[in-house]
Amino acid sequence: MGEGAMPVAEVMTRKVITAKRSTTLKELMEIFRRFSLRTLPVVDRENKVIGVVALEDVLKIFQPHPSDILDMLDRVPFLDEYDDRSLWDVDIPPEMGVLCVVEDLMNVNVVTINEEATTIQARSLMKLHRLRRIPVVDKENCLLGIISLFDIIMAVFKQKGIL
Amino acid sequence: METILSFAAILLLGLLAARMLRRVKFPAVTAYLLLGILIGPEVLGLVARPILGVTGSISNIVLSFVAFGLGQNFSRENFSRIGKSVLWISLLEASGAWLLVTFSCLYLLRQPLPVCLLFGAIASATAPAATVMVVRESGAKGNFTDTLLGVVALDDAWCLIIFAVSLALAKGLTHSGGEGFHLSAAFARSLLEIGGALGLGTLMALIFTYFSRHLRAPGDLLIYTLGFILLNTGLAIYFHLSVLLASMFLGMVLVNINKTSFRFFDIVRTVDSPLYLAFFVLAGASLEIHLLGKLGLLALTYFIFRILGKVGCASLGGWISRAASPVKKYLGFALVPQAGVALGVALIAKAEFPPMGGMIFTTIVATTILYEIIGPFFTRWALHKAGEIGAE
């Protein structure tokens, strides 16, 4: 462990707002609004991290094709840039708020950090992947908390006696 | 023209050409290709000779990037998600076009088997860019459209695999074709090239994953990924293994063993656009225009039998996977466009099999332009017949 580095488990926020596969679009938007969050970890019944859902993922409902097909097309070379249609021009029925669930929107590619890692490793991971919050998990991939840049700065400030 | 000025002209004129031709509904790849023909040595002569001399190396690098990226589609998770229809149709229409074009070249035109194999393999490719453009323009949506998009998304990967196998066979046949020809020696040589590439890609993916834990900054991530793709490509060339299969296996193994591998694929996509642009412009500039007049029957056979293979075997795939009736009847027609990957592998054929490679490349360029003009009409017609273009 580097000088001054602390275990992630000591610094992380333990109370985490999460979404489930079945969380509806309406509930998701309410969580984003109420807690001023833009990214949420998605967990299953055993509290295992199965994905992440971000505000940008909500834009998927404006696409006319399933997200797995669009993900595959993303990997195809030489495709022209997508000309986004105006969000106002797309017909979306009001029922979509309850019919569309997080499972349809979430991204299964998620960066997590183990509880035994240090804050230095957490910061490196944040810099490497350009993230501000990383879910902290145990060996079984169960969610234990979340570590943010804010948590790390606070921990450093406390250690240095600034706060 | 001076080398650096040539590159500047390629990039800026390429961007301009793509913007202009988008107005008449041509994909960017076709715009780059036409620009290349225009500024190439046989028309305006704006491309410096030294640049044309390294087109072979550029095509190896670009296709390594393409194969590496397409390997990402071969994750366990992706295969469990894609439907049976997409898998069967894509596999059969690609193989169908390959076999039909190979046999028509062999038996109707009496061309040598290595050349027929390469023509057949190139026929398996489609043009996702043109298909996606028609789908977007027409506002088509529904089961037929989703199946079509899934098929074109997988198709280029099948094409690279088929081409790599055909190239290995063609090389094996050519090198064993002199005195004391042995078919078994040709197959052994091909198997070595293919098996070695799979082994190399797998080994490199394991080493890649092991050392990736030491990366600290996004810049490192990009340099590390590019470095490994090039190392893998360079080693494949050095040991005479299939570059395409080695690169695809690097991506394929990586996506299945590394939980955060998506970052490596994403970061490569941030830098590939100018490389692809330069690649297609140079492909156009490499065209030997004087060969166009000699194509005739060869181009016609390729053109017709590729369509027959796509249409017939897409129906067969639909029938096996019990797809809906419109998918069985019309999906093959929507796969007529041909562009990017076909041109890329044709450039490899040109470099590997002179002088017949020049004829293969010229045929593919000529038919690509033709397919890009008529292909979108076929795609739109198929979407219309499937009843998925709302307003029409």
Side-chain angles (χ1 to χ4, degrees), chain A residues 115-139:
Chain A
E115 59 179 322
E116 287 159 9
T118 65
T119 45
I120 290 178
Q121 288 168 321
R123 178 69 189 123
S124 290
L125 214 55
M126 283 177 191
K127 278 202 289 188
L128 183 63
H129 297 303
R130 299 183 196 274
L131 298 168
R132 291 193 170 207
R133 303 166 83 228
I134 303 178
V136 182
V137 294
D138 63 13
K139 283 181 181 134

Side-chain angles (χ1 to χ4, degrees), chain B residues 304-343:
Chain B
I304 291 171
F305 282 92
R306 178 179 169 272
I307 295 178
L308 290 178
K310 294 273 171 206
V311 173
C313 292
S315 289
L316 181 65
W319 183 75
I320 292 174
S321 60
R322 296 165 194 257
S325 176
V327 171
K328 283 189 273 194
K329 280 189 194 164
Y330 306 115
L331 198 115
F333 291 99
L335 299 171
V336 169
Q338 164 197 286
V341 165
L343 287 167

Side-chain angles (χ1 to χ4, degrees), chain B residues 7 14 35-36 46 86 119-120 132 138 169 232 246 344 346-347 374:
Chain B
F7 264 121
L35 173 72
L46 294 179
V86 169
F119 261 121
V132 170
S138 63
L169 281 171
N232 190 49
L347 260 182
I374 66 150

